[in-house]
């Protein structure tokens, strides 16, 4: 007899001890007997459905890639893929078993379609545990966020009557075990040295900051846990520098223009902040032909890391020694507006939608949680954009244009791997559906054969390089899609005198377009 009293001849008879079957029955009765609010019931039903075919975890992986946590995304997706294959293609065929009887489940908790495949082990639980464990093995702090979500997904399979407790525990054991074994057998290679390329040059040295005008954005990097405030270090090490703290309403160009027109104009422009602030200051540095001192002070510091500037001390040491680099930059024109400097990447499609949605919730939930909420909304509701790329009309989920070559696998390049190859790295993501778009963002072009069997991916990433790219953006739902570069969304494209339905953008590479302080070693 089954734990619920009906005959279940395949229910792991001879494999699971009798006490396990009794435990399954007792836990099932207890959960079904508990009265919970209908909103809670619906919440667990929706959470369980969100993990169907691992869509929830593909979405999380896409967020990690967008936030440049490539190793965590790779480890999580690889672990999930193997664990899902073992649970669904091997475990269920070897053991199977009948699921809890539908009539025993309260109506408000029932899934829209009760599963009919074998019960043991729980594939949802295996995938959740594998992804969360894989992510935690690379980035424990991110794993601490994903673990409660994975636990909730596993419990949702009990709450909705899709599985027995032993199914869920078996799935968790498979998922966690696969991730741990993968870490032992297939450790990811060490993080590569970020700087590659750039022409070394000698710049004006300053031991105490004399001749330096430094803008500091105190709001940058607020999402970094245990972030050290760089301001005391800068004031202590560079006492002669003029330091200006940016406020929310400050205009970077105006502040720098006032400083340069003063009685003692600076010989060096410096900036401490995230990529968006750095790119704004870089535009002025290029216009005035002055060297730029970049002090990493943002959440990700993509440009600084690529240039080999990992810390405040690295930046100050380069200034003291007068060590610098000539690097390529991008020059972006939107409509009839003057050029803007791009340091990492520009994009249309999913990423600008994601950033705009994240900013709506960031003040309430913080950057990381807001990022997860934004990704779930955008990757479920976003629509492709219609653009004309160099005379060719296409519909795509995203168009990313990296400054110099980026990582070869992912369709979302946000951190350049080179500093001086004279090319734009262009990635266009074509996909049949949102699900396929999410899968492609998670796996990239090198989707394994196993993944293709589990989730056929018919999307394609078109990749090519060019020194210049023209993109005409068509309207989407009557609005001009946003354009982003260096982590900032150009929402103001609607207010620049362009047709409300769309706009024209041009991005070109400028070789050796910027002088920056950076260590030569």
């Amino acid at each position: 007899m089954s734990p619920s009293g009906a005959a279940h001849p395949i229910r792991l008879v001879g494999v699971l001890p009798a006490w396990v079957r009794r435990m399954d029955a007792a836990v099932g009765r207890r959960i079904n007997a508990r009265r919970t609010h209908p909103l809670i019931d619906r919440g667990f039903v929706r959470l369980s459905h969100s993990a169907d075919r691992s869509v929830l975890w593909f979405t999380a992986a896409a967020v990690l890639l967008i936030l440049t946590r490539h190793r965590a995304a790779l480890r999580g997706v690889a672990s999930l893929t193997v664990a899902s294959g073992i649970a669904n293609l091997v475990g269920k065929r070897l053991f199977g078993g009948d699921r809890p009887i539908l009539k025993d489940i309260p109506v408000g908790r029932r899934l829209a379609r009760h599963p009919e495949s074998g019960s043991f082990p729980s594939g949802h639980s295996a995938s959740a545990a594998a992804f969360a464990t894989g992510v935690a093995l690379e980035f424990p702090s991110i794993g601490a966020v994903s673990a409660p979500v994975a636990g909730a997904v596993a419990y949702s399979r009990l709450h909705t009557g899709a599985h027995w407790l032993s199914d869920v525990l078996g799935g968790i054991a498979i998922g966690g075990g696969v991730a741990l074994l993968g870490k032992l057998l297939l450790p990811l290679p060490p993080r590569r040295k970020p700087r590659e390329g750039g022409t070394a040059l000698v710049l004006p040295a300053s031991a105490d900051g004399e001749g330096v005008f430094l803008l500091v954005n105190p709001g940058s990097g607020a999402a970094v846990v245990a972030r050290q405030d760089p301001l005391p270090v800068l004031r202590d090490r560079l006492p002669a520098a003029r330091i200006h703290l940016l406020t929310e309403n400050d205009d970077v160009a105006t502040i720098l223009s006032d400083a340069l027109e003063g009685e003692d104009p600076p010989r060096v422009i410096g900036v401490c902040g995230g990529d968006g602030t750095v790119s704004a200051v870089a535009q002025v540095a290029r216009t005035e032909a002055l060297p730029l001192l970049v002090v990493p002070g943002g959440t990700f510091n993509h440009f600084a890391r690529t240039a080999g500037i990992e810390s405040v001390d690295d930046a100050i040491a380069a200034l003291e020694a007068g060590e610098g680099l000539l690097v390529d930059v991008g020059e972006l024109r939107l409509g009839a507006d003057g050029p803007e400097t791009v340091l990492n990447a520009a994009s249309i499609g999913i990423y600008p939608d994601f950033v705009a949605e994240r900013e709506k919730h960031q003040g309430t939930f913080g950057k990381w949680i807001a990022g997860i909420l934004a990704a779930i909304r955008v990757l479920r509701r976003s629509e492709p954009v219609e653009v004309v790329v160099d005379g060719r009309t296409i519909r795509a989920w995203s168009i990313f244009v990296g400054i110099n070559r980026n990582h070869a696998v992912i369709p979302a390049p946000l951190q350049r791997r080179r500093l001086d190859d004279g090319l734009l790295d262009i990635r266009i993501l074509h996909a049949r559906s949102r699900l396929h778009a999410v899968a492609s963002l998670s796996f990239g072009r090198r989707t394994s054969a196993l993944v293709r069997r589990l989730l056929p991916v018919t999307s394609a990433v078109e990749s090519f390089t060019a020194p210049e790219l023209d993109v005409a953006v068509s309207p989407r739902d009557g609005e001009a899609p946003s354009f982003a570069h260096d982590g900032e969304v150009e929402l103001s494209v609607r207010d620049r005198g362009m047709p409300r339905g769309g706009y024209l953008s041009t991005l070109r590479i400028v070789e050796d377009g910027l002088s920056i302080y950076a260590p030569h070693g």
Side-chain angles (χ1 to χ4, degrees), residues 428-451:
I428 303 175
L429 174 60
H430 306 272
R432 188 180 64 187
S433 65
R434 290 186 187 87
L435 175 61
H436 292 92
V438 171
S440 294
L441 285 170
S442 302
F443 292 118
R445 290 182 295 169
R446 298 178 183 174
T447 308
S448 69
L450 178 57
V451 173

Side-chain angles (χ1 to χ4, degrees), residues 383-387 392-398 428-431 475:
E383 295 294 334
V385 293
E386 183 174 303
V387 297
R392 178 167 54 103
T393 301
I394 61 174
R395 284 175 58 84
W397 287 96
S398 70
I428 303 175
L429 174 60
H430 306 272

